[in-house]
Amino acid sequence: MGRVFKTLWSEPAGGTAKDMDKSFYSKVGFDESVFTKIRRFIVVREKTHSCLCLPLYTYGGQGASKPDLRARDHVAIRICTNERAPSPVSTGEDFEKSPLGLIVEDSEEKIDPMTRINLGQVFTIQHNLKVAKVGRIHPNDIDRLKNYFVESVTA
């Protein structure tokens, strides 16, 4: 629980896709488009051959202030170290949840300050997928991550 990783991820583009940068889109069956890019996830439940994960999004740098987004389904992350818990930074967003600390373990990894965990979207990711380690949620915040996840799936 709490491991953060990244992987190449494809999903249907959807009818409301606005960022139609051709390098991210491919045509597939039924003349539909898929969107592919590197996506970051946080493991919230480990299974035998897969894990349940929550995605991290920046929403084009808007964070949870993006129009038509439910802020209560999101939580901010703050970069921190093993010794130091994250310091809250005001972004003008209406958060009900305290930010979670993220310890980045790859010095090359750059995390946008507007990155948010989407608690309302759960993905099943197979263990045979090629992934790269990003980091982990601060040990002091694991219980809150668990609580946020349980609240999100039971609400």
Side-chain angles (χ1 to χ4, degrees), residues 21-55:
D21 180 340
K22 299 296 181 208
S23 65
F24 293 117
Y25 290 87
S26 304
K27 283 287 189 187
V28 293
F30 307 105
D31 201 33
E32 294 295 323
S33 294
V34 294
F35 177 78
T36 303
K37 70 182 283 186
I38 299 295
R39 172 83 57 220
R40 293 181 185 92
F41 294 95
I42 297 176
V43 176
V44 289
R45 285 287 187 269
E46 191 72 31
K47 304 274 189 184
T48 303
H49 300 289
S50 64
C51 53
L52 300 180
C53 300
L54 299 173

Side-chain angles (χ1 to χ4, degrees), residues 81-139:
T81 64
N82 280 329
E83 298 81 31
R84 190 168 50 97
S87 303
V89 175
S90 177
T91 60
E93 298 165 286
D94 186 22
F95 280 118
E96 297 174 2
K97 297 168 180 64
S98 298
L100 298 172
L102 172 61
I103 300 167
V104 177
E105 297 172 332
D106 176 358
S107 61
E108 300 294 313
E109 193 67 28
K110 303 294 180 233
I111 305 292
D112 188 302
M114 295 306 286
T115 300
R116 304 296 179 251
I117 302 168
N118 185 339
L119 299 164
Q121 220 177 1
V122 181
F123 289 86
T124 301
I125 302 197
Q126 302 299 317
H127 286 167
N128 63 357
L129 203 61
K130 184 177 180 180
V131 302
K133 179 171 43 173
V134 171
R136 57 190 162 86
I137 295 299
H138 192 282

